[in-house]
Amino acid sequence: MLNVGLLGAGRIGAVHANAIQSHPDSTLIAVSDVVSDNAQKLATQYHCDMRNTDDIINDPAINAVLIATSTDTHADLIEAATAAGKAVFCEKPVDLSLSRARACLDATADKAARIMLGFNRRFDPSFAALQRAVKAGEIGKPELLSITSFDPAPPPVAYVKVSGGLFRDMMIHDFDMANFVMGDLPESITAVGSSLVDPAIGEAGDVDTAVATLRYADGRIAVIQNSRRASYGYDQRLEVLGSQGQLQVKNVAENTLVKSTTDGIQSANPLHFFLERYMPAYHAEWTAFVTSVSNGTDAPVNLNDGVNALILAEAATQSVQSGLPSSVASI
Amino acid sequence: MLNVGLLGAGRIGAVHANAIQSHPDSTLIAVSDVVSDNAQKLATQYHCDMRNTDDIINDPAINAVLIATSTDTHADLIEAATAAGKAVFCEKPVDLSLSRARACLDATADKAARIMLGFNRRFDPSFAALQRAVKAGEIGKPELLSITSFDPAPPPVAYVKVSGGLFRDMMIHDFDMANFVMGDLPESITAVGSSLVDPAIGEAGDVDTAVATLRYADGRIAVIQNSRRASYGYDQRLEVLGSQGQLQVKNVAENTLVKSTTDGIQSANPLHFFLERYMPAYHAEWTAFVTSVSNGTDAPVNLNDGVNALILAEAATQSVQSGLPSSVASI
Amino acid sequence: MLNVGLLGAGRIGAVHANAIQSHPDSTLIAVSDVVSDNAQKLATQYHCDMRNTDDIINDPAINAVLIATSTDTHADLIEAATAAGKAVFCEKPVDLSLSRARACLDATADKAARIMLGFNRRFDPSFAALQRAVKAGEIGKPELLSITSFDPAPPPVAYVKVSGGLFRDMMIHDFDMANFVMGDLPESITAVGSSLVDPAIGEAGDVDTAVATLRYADGRIAVIQNSRRASYGYDQRLEVLGSQGQLQVKNVAENTLVKSTTDGIQSANPLHFFLERYMPAYHAEWTAFVTSVSNGTDAPVNLNDGVNALILAEAATQSVQSGLPSSVASI
Amino acid sequence: MLNVGLLGAGRIGAVHANAIQSHPDSTLIAVSDVVSDNAQKLATQYHCDMRNTDDIINDPAINAVLIATSTDTHADLIEAATAAGKAVFCEKPVDLSLSRARACLDATADKAARIMLGFNRRFDPSFAALQRAVKAGEIGKPELLSITSFDPAPPPVAYVKVSGGLFRDMMIHDFDMANFVMGDLPESITAVGSSLVDPAIGEAGDVDTAVATLRYADGRIAVIQNSRRASYGYDQRLEVLGSQGQLQVKNVAENTLVKSTTDGIQSANPLHFFLERYMPAYHAEWTAFVTSVSNGTDAPVNLNDGVNALILAEAATQSVQSGLPSSVASI
């Protein structure tokens, strides 16, 4: 049984608490949060302790720490928990700053195998099955990747201002997915972006609609489309054309009801946003973590993957500003 | 907070334990099982007590009892827990015997509102949305209902022999669904059945492939198709034609990956069996129970619904034996 | 080059004229119709002669005759054209009367191979592919067939009165499809029917909503659902469960446009009615006829198939009247 | 009745001949071809004359000329037939050379309304319905367009060498589609391309896999993906995200048969190539031409549309060579 301490009891912390308790081989021992009411609520529901973060990190009875606190604390907590000998699962990103993320990667290099980063989409049943099929050669060599990733509605401008911009905040998931599927970093990125959804986003210096084209050293190509607004819901699709076929991941609908009338054939919208769409992925990534800790195998997604995604976000941000292709090697 | 005692810690009991613990307004206090290892496993995972059934039923700190024991104990436990003042959630069926089910209904008549029967398919997001749409008149008057319900593989013959037969064991879910959607009992049922899947099922006096046609007093018609074997997985569909349109519930796939090659366009099989297909329904029915107990409103599915489904199963069984239509009123 | 005379220049005759002219190995020589304007219109469009029926049947330069006149003339024209040595393609049905159809079958028995009956659905690309797959054993043994066949709107009651009733006029296509897919006649049929769509249809002694259950000697089962009204369009589906899988034919949509908004995901209605839905089938059946005449092989659908479908229609009509199963052998 | 002369009796000429003869208001009077056997074959099938091109252009009894000859003769024949007073329908493109196309546009400027260019995809039922929906504001303002257009297999390298390159030969259809849907030319294009499918294509100086990103003056974005090889068939999809929703055109399948086995759920490949996929569009574009000539209204697609598509092809070709964005205004 893996004894787990949870740092952070907000919305995403509650999701992780349920994943921990639903897994037959892990159990939640203690939870902390800067807002003690949040921590107390989870402690009551799951019959466990509320403590402060230091106590959790230093408790020898706790084997693993799950970090679900605010982004700016991630790197510090990863370093502290790793130093205390814990296996660590940390919500993405490592940090908004590429240099801080690189420093954290360096500082924990000797424990890299026991630190997992929560790029949850890799564990979505459909995306995971796609990557396995690519890797198994089911469509020959993957040549042209296309990712469509639209949020249902833009976040508040106040959030946008501290988010690091669309490429670091939103497209970063798609950059990781490109790295996951193509198995390599691209050579160059060209990005175009506009503020079409909310003028205030443009005034804040960011874009809300963007397309990035990634070119790989061997000529392969990937395209990523992002928009902050798809009125019909969270649009999360991916397709990859290979020399012997194509693989696509389609959206997941709220239900399978179909209504046919004189007005047409109507089916349900996609699951509204990331908590609904990726709930199975949150459970699956936790299962993967428990398995890797139990078996002493490498964490399936690590800090290096986090740094790689940040590199692409940085390159795309530069390209949209310069109007020219960005070389990835120069980042 | 609803304090819950769980009776029965087998496969389905474990599903319910997770639903209880995942709900923010209910918590698992104690669990019992004739196999104490099963009970101990759930008690450890969810940080609660293992006790015997009587202690749970008589504990004044426990508000509600969830019955997930073997079918032959359901009616007795419903009566005992109701007598002890508990709100009761019981797995279907009430009993294989229509007369015992009717007796249980009578014995608990004054507490009917606080006894919920676990016809979980009514809480499947798709079936529930379909029934709401029918009720809201979105397709006018429902005129022709068609239910397709195939299991992935037949159960062992030993199970078939004590199951009460296909109509009481398998089609009973579809009879309840017909009652749910059409809002009324039919006047007559004609059923045909064959043993095509496994000759041993025929030798045991049962059928494994069957079609029942239900005729309602106002001329409406329903058709139910059952097979014990769909090699591609659990096939659970329903469609209803109304005067102004049609509603369909389609299968739920394992994932949304699509592979296109020279061999065709291939997508994932339906979720394999009932635990996978109806997992969201198990959580939703529990939520409905917690809400009805909290608000003091009527249980959304009750023992009377259980008796009605048994009546149709009885009529269909008689029809397949006689080769003639069965009158429902005569059951 | 097959020189063809067309008898009947109404709506369906015009469809056949185009099929004849679109085929590189057949050409339209002459057309006749009781309404000479109809015949003249096709003659002008396709640069051919307008003549009377006898001239066409007796012209030695004409190799084949396509009969697209009113139903009551089919049997006589089949006999006359066959006697004149023509290859014959005749629109379904042979006749509304089973005895007249049987007489025509007998009268032309020695030329059976050169008389094709236009059960066009057998040549629909999807239904044809399904039957080939069944025959090739792709799903093992077919065990449970389900046909859904709904018209978009009921015909005028005046038509209903002379149509022979729903089973002879509408479900007859589905009976032929059952014969085509199952490769055998059933042993018995049980049918239920109601007048739910238009009370005037009930007053005329017919039903507009019906379900027929066919039981085969080896225990296999088929179910056919008909309604005269599907507000969303022509609903033409079929599925068959076999010991090793399932085959389904889905509807054909007007187009592949999908609109996603906050109201849901909307796609196009099925092609509205039989001319749109089965246009490729009209061309394919003509190609099959040209091929069989050219090669001297048996017509792929013959008068015997027409008689067999009428037998099932007769049995179903009797069952809905008696409320009991009908034996097919007794018809 | 529109009397039509057909210039060119090859594969695409035969398609047009059938469209002309299938339309009740047009008829084929004469056909010419440099290969007289081709012309004779169509003349025999459709009961019309074989003549030489000049005779057809100068016959006062012929109202309209359909040009389906080789690309290098298009501009000359457009000018000659227009000068002879004919309404003209010409297969795309006007010419591979932008300057020749512009010269033809200028030379026929006073008859522009009677010259239709065969950008047939605009008349595909799905693409046409999409464009109407965009224009009607059904998804608000269109902001992000994505076109996927893959051929089933690359053409011979000999063809590639004289084709003008992927952007002029293949993506030109998609550029026209972008112009059609977005209603405007973009400001700039960035294209990346590789030779991944066939090294010989790269050696010939062309690409076989390419992505072009179009940026409009108001910030809107379009992305076009092309590959010369999709092993599963002709992949022709388009989607456009608007401020109030999304519209998608999906592929058209060969049939609607679905097979479900333990291996998954398998459906038919897309229609194999352009003749199958766009056959309804060939008929619909001809109907649009007949209607515009009959009513004296402007041709719905004209030489100017042809020039605009060539401009984008030119810009994309330059971008892929320079590695930089191309300004459309500079072409």
Side-chain angles (χ1 to χ4, degrees), chain A residues 285-304:
Chain A
E285 69 176 359
W286 182 251
T287 295
F289 177 73
V290 172
T291 302
S292 80
V293 173
S294 303
N295 297 350
T297 52
D298 287 2
V301 198
N302 57 33
L303 294 186
N304 196 45

Side-chain angles (χ1 to χ4, degrees), chain D residues 312-324:
Chain D
L312 301 195
E314 198 76 23
T317 304
Q318 290 182 11
S319 172
V320 91
Q321 285 160 356
S322 69
L324 298 172

Side-chain angles (χ1 to χ4, degrees), chain A:
Chain A
M1 184 67 75
L2 192 71
N3 293 326
V4 185
L6 171 65
L7 313 183
R11 188 173 57 165
I12 201 67
V15 168
H16 288 299
N18 188 259
I20 295 164
Q21 275 302 100
S22 295
H23 195 293
D25 299 327
S26 67
T27 195
L28 189 58
I29 301 297
V31 56
S32 72
D33 197 285
V34 290
V35 182
S36 63
D37 273 5
N38 285 348
Q40 189 56 58
K41 203 172 149 195
L42 290 184
T44 302
Q45 181 175 356
Y46 294 110
H47 308 169
C48 73
D49 293 345
M50 175 177 83
R51 302 204 201 142
N52 71 44
T53 297
D54 283 351
D55 283 356
I56 290 175
I57 288 180
N58 294 315
D59 181 345
I62 287 178
N63 317 113
V65 161
L66 194 158
I67 302 170
T69 52
S70 60
T71 295
D72 59 329
T73 65
H74 286 184
D76 289 350
L77 290 172
I78 290 169
E79 291 168 6
T82 302
K86 308 301 182 210
V88 173
F89 179 104
C90 184
E91 261 300 320
K92 71 199 139 14
V94 189
D95 199 281
L96 285 181
S97 149
L98 176 56
S99 59
R100 180 66 188 93
R102 279 175 161 155
C104 182
L105 174 65
D106 291 346
T108 61
D110 59 335
K111 300 285 179 54
R114 285 174 42 96
I115 307 171
M116 176 161 162
L117 195 68
F119 272 129
N120 60 329
R121 294 186 193 178
R122 293 189 180 210
F123 299 90
D124 172 82
S126 301
F127 289 119
L130 179 138
Q131 192 265 355
R132 280 195 305 270
V134 168
K135 215 169 165 182
E138 293 187 24
I139 56 162
K141 186 186 171 188
E143 295 175 346
L144 180 53
L145 170 70
S146 177
I147 301 178
T148 299
S149 180
F150 302 156
D151 281 354
V157 173
Y159 172 85
V160 167
K161 285 178 179 165
V162 299
S163 69
L166 178 139
F167 298 102
R168 286 187 196 87
D169 177 57
M170 180 176 175
M171 201 179 279
I172 192 155
H173 293 278
D174 307 304
F175 288 133
D176 179 63
M177 195 51 66
N179 293 341
F180 183 51
V181 173
M182 297 299 259
D184 205 356
L185 285 181
E187 205 173 48
S188 68
I189 298 186
T190 309
V192 299
S194 300
S195 173
L196 298 169
V197 172
D198 182 352
I201 291 176
E203 286 158 22
D206 199 3
V207 296
D208 50 41
T209 307
V211 173
T213 306
L214 289 62
R215 200 175 187 292
Y216 293 80
D218 55 3
R220 295 182 299 157
I221 304 171
V223 192
I224 301 170
Q225 300 177 51
N226 270 189
S227 168
R228 288 285 196 184
R229 177 188 56 202
S231 62
Y232 50 92
Y234 196 42
D235 195 338
Q236 295 285 295
R237 289 171 293 142
L238 183 154
E239 60 187 61
V240 54
L241 177 70
S243 55
Q244 293 167 34
Q246 185 203 41
L247 291 163
Q248 296 173 299
V249 168
K250 309 233 171 177
N251 283 320
V252 180
E254 286 172 347
N255 60 52
T256 66
L257 182 63
V258 176
K259 180 165 81 168
S260 301
T261 66
T262 51
D263 292 337
I265 312 300
Q266 196 173 19
S267 58
N269 287 100
L271 287 169
H272 186 65
F273 208 7
F274 67 97
L275 282 183
E276 295 88 1
R277 171 69 175 86
Y278 291 118
M279 191 55 76
Y282 286 111
H283 284 256
E285 69 176 359
W286 182 251
T287 295
F289 177 73
V290 172
T291 302
S292 80
V293 173
S294 303
N295 297 350
T297 52
D298 287 2
V301 198
N302 57 33
L303 294 186
N304 196 45
D305 295 308
V307 167
N308 281 339
L310 279 169
I311 288 172
L312 301 195
E314 198 77 23
T317 303
Q318 290 182 9
S319 172
V320 90
Q321 284 160 356
S322 69
L324 298 171
S326 284
S327 157
V328 170
S330 71
I331 305 294

Side-chain angles (χ1 to χ4, degrees), chain A residues 261-263 265-267 269, chain C residues 231 261-263 265-267 269:
Chain A
T261 66
T262 51
D263 292 337
I265 312 300
Q266 196 173 19
S267 58
N269 287 100
Chain C
S231 62
T261 66
T262 51
D263 293 336
I265 312 300
Q266 195 173 19
S267 58
N269 287 98

